[in-house]
């Protein structure tokens, strides 16, 4: 029974191969996890910058509408008209709510537990962390 004579050596060889394969799999998992984490950080940074740009655009638009006298340039006349129509509708809705006696909800601003940014939302606009209750 030559098979049984070689069995301990074959078992050691198999265990060594299995150990190397397990190590390779673990190394690959670590690399993949790091790639996923790096991608998530980049995505969060991109979203944060996009929010900052959106806030700037909003401020520019609000300023422009407040400074606008007369007709808007033809290139943006439809956008200005839509914004003005929405503003009028918003004022009408607030007036209707006021007639019912309902008070306007006061937003509760909280500081982010991670980065300290202030927001009235459920999630931090800077880092995306939950703002808590």
């Amino acid at each position: 029974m030559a098979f049984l004579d070689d069995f301990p050596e074959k078992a050691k060889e198999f265990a060594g191969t299995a150990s190397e394969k397990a190590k390779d799999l673990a190394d690959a998992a670590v690399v993949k996890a790091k790639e996923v984490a790096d991608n998530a950080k980049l995505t969060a940074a991109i979203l944060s910058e996009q929010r900052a740009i959106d806030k700037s655009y909003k401020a520019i638009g609000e300023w422009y509408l407040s400074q606008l006298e007369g007709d808007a340039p033809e290139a943006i006349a439809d956008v200005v008209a839509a914004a003005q129509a929405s503003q009028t509708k918003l004022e009408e809705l607030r007036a209707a709510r006021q007639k019912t006696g309902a008070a306007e909800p006061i937003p509760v601003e909280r500081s982010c537990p991670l980065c300290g940014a202030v927001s009235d939302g459920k999630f931090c606009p800077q880092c995306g962390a939950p703002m808590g209750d």
Side-chain angles (χ1 to χ4, degrees):
M1 292 220 179
F3 171 75
L4 290 178
D5 293 337
D6 294 339
F7 184 75
E9 291 174 25
K10 295 288 185 184
K12 286 181 188 177
E13 185 180 318
F14 177 77
T17 303
S19 174
E20 288 174 21
K21 293 289 183 186
K23 184 179 179 304
D24 291 344
L25 281 172
D27 290 344
V30 167
V31 168
K32 188 66 173 174
K34 184 176 179 343
E35 288 174 0
V36 169
D38 290 345
N39 189 30
K41 287 178 187 176
L42 288 173
T43 299
I46 289 168
L47 291 173
S48 177
E49 288 303 316
Q50 186 62 53
R51 281 191 295 271
I53 290 171
D54 291 345
K55 286 172 81 174
S56 296
Y57 286 162
K58 181 179 182 236
I60 291 168
E62 288 173 351
W63 173 84
Y64 180 79
L65 285 176
S66 72
Q67 299 297 312
L68 187 64
E69 294 178 11
D71 292 332
E74 187 178 329
I76 61 166
D78 57 336
V79 176
V80 170
Q84 290 171 338
S86 291
Q87 185 65 35
T88 301
K89 183 68 174 175
L90 182 62
E91 290 169 6
E92 291 171 0
L93 292 169
R94 284 185 175 151
R97 182 176 56 199
Q98 193 172 27
K99 285 181 184 176
T100 64
E104 188 165 332
I106 299 171
V108 178
E109 291 191 339
R110 297 176 293 257
S111 293
C112 175
L114 293 181
C115 72
V118 177
S119 175
D120 61 354
K122 291 185 177 191
F123 296 94
C124 176
Q126 295 298 320
C127 69
M131 294 295 279
D133 294 327

